[in-house]
Amino acid sequence: MNRDRVTAILMLTPSVILLAIFVYGFIAWTGYTSVTDSNLRQQLRGETAEVVGLKNYEDLFTGLLNKRFRVDMTNTVFFTILFIVACLGVGILLAILLDQKIKGESVFRTIFLFPMALSFVVTGVAWKWLFNPTSGINVLPTVIGLPAGQFQWFISEDRWLPFNWHDLGFYIALILLGMALLFTLWQWSKKRSQWAAFGAALTLLLLAWVTLGDPRSITPIREDGHGFNVALIALVVAAGWQMSGYTMAMYLAGLRGISEDLREAARVDGCSELQVYRRIIFPLLQPITLSAMIILGHISLKIFDLAYTMGGGNNLFIDMPGINMFFTTFRASEFGRGAAIAVIMLIMVAVVIVPYLYTQLRSETHL
Amino acid sequence: MSTTVSPSQSVPAQTAAAPLSGVRVSRALIYAALVIFAALFLIPVYMVLVTSFKSIDQVSISTMWNLPTSFTLESFQRALEKLLPNLINSLLLVVPATVLSAALGSMNGYVLSKWRFRGANIIFPLMLFGMFIPYQAILIPLVQFLQTIGLYGSIGGLILVHVVYGLPITTLIFRNYYAEVPDEMIEAGAIDGAGFFGLYWWVVLPISLPGFVVVIIWQFTQIWNEFLFGVTITNTASQPITVALQNLSGSQIVEWNVQMAGAFLTALPTLLVYILLGRYFIRGLLAGSVKG
């Protein structure tokens, strides 16, 4: 038996070594590249790259020439929020509808889920045609005699919620302040005085920072022109079309896991159908919502193909960090800065995924 | 698997006050909502098909939503002319990459579920993390590495990359699948004198077919649809079909009907797999959210 155990470990070893190199080794390598000024010109001359510390990162967030990156970050935040909300909303709605003992359920399920089987490139090409402002969806109302739509979809240049990048530090401070205050009140209501005191201290500290300090100094660059690019709506529709079937499948699996007896018991106790959902079913689906949010969130943080296909890579209104990294690295040949963008993307994804993996696997029983 | 309630049993215990007509109306509304959603989901399919069966002089803004007046396969012919070499590349890539990553995943899953060793619950999450990372974070070293070992720009390099980055998900699916296999079966086999490989060959592998189907479908779809590696570590001769489609749609001169025909051709293999084996596809999908 002991020899078999050694064999088992030996059989796993190649995969472990491959992943150790291709995932962790390469990440470390990218991390190192990101603190150098590595670029193609140097490599061709046979020069070695110089370590420049965090300069690439500093440039991305504050350099005059790197506005594109800050546009990308803003786009990512808005896209992620809207994409998750759209997928969760459509997904739960479809799942509830399908859970009503529907005739032909499998046909509907197939229709809602088939976009998942497609490449984002196919989705991008198809929706680019549909979103063409002079044809496509905009013309659809004319089929029944209505005026054509005027929305410019993915080439719209409109911008809502405009903000100045320079004020971002101030807004972040305000949001942190709000969160600290809520945390304090929440702990207070739970009568956990120690945590409440901690929260209160934090709130005061942040309040002092906002009023006496200068939160704007963390985003020193004076720059206008950020906000929610309306063109992102087109991207949300296309991505939501592709991915909301996924949330539907997750919710449907969850709904099927809730026993009919439980619902029946609630109905006997006088719950209306709506109350059964509000009191029994939605709370039971909460873990699924969290999982879906994390899976969808990490997809939207690293989205590349769809935005690239729809925008052709030079439509800044739907630009994303993944595209910027691709162009910086493989077109402009600025490896150092490309690596820095990649590391920032990795950090964003890791912040979401690592706690998720931890809790998912901790709840399993181990030897 | 939960047992499904047959439709005849429906509307079991509506509150007594609800009149039957009210139930009928709400049922009708549910079906109406489902039909509307289904129609919305199918709009792109309709558009792709309608456009790709038109000849170029029929593709005009005013008749965009109309059915073609005469069906023609001309656009498919032209799309195929441009995409065929890449379609072959994708096939040459996807078959070996899928088979290899499934085989490795099965072995890894067997080890991790039936031969638990100290440190396994540290190694496994570390392996899994690899499937969530944005591949941009490994792309620069990957290109340099492939150039060094001479696989850059070749289908072989693409196969290697897809096998390696496919390991986390295939390992995960097989590990969860084998976890359902009772340990007693392994123990019984061991008492009969089977060793590590004997147990795998005689006990585990014969019941692995559903696991393989899920993994193969999943990997086939993922690798066929992938774009980032396809566009960064290949050259013109080895580009997979997704990259060729993007090039086709990126060039302004290619007509819409050819683009739509190209999109349809690119989608067809995975779509067929999904329609024929959808049940297994969904299992792979849900396994991707880790617990399965």
Side-chain angles (χ1 to χ4, degrees), chain A residues 24-34 339, chain B residues 140-142 144-145 148:
Chain A
Y24 297 95
F26 284 2
I27 286 175
W29 189 340
T30 304
Y32 174 75
T33 308
S34 77
Chain B
I140 297 171
L142 182 70
Q144 294 184 352
F145 176 78
T148 314

Side-chain angles (χ1 to χ4, degrees), chain A residues 14-29, chain B residues 138 141 145 164-165:
Chain A
S15 297
V16 171
I17 289 175
L18 279 174
L19 287 173
I21 295 170
F22 278 73
V23 175
Y24 297 95
F26 284 2
I27 286 175
W29 189 340
Chain B
I138 48 87
F145 176 78
V164 172
Y165 293 108

Side-chain angles (χ1 to χ4, degrees), chain A residues 150-166:
Chain A
Q150 295 300 317
F151 189 47
Q152 296 295 296
W153 297 106
F154 66 99
I155 54 168
S156 168
E157 298 188 4
D158 290 348
R159 187 177 279 144
W160 295 345
L161 306 171
F163 68 90
N164 191 327
W165 187 265
H166 182 56

Side-chain angles (χ1 to χ4, degrees), chain B residues 196-211:
Chain B
F196 176 84
F197 292 107
L199 287 169
Y200 180 70
W201 191 254
W202 298 112
V203 181
V204 174
L205 203 54
I207 52 167
S208 294
L209 188 65

Side-chain angles (χ1 to χ4, degrees), chain A residues 5 22 24 30 100 103 302, chain B residues 27 31 126 132 137 165:
Chain A
R5 204 160 279 276
F22 278 73
Y24 297 95
T30 304
Q100 308 300 317
K103 279 180 197 148
K302 61 188 192 187
Chain B
R27 295 293 292 173
Y31 278 99
L126 286 174
F132 295 106
Y165 293 108

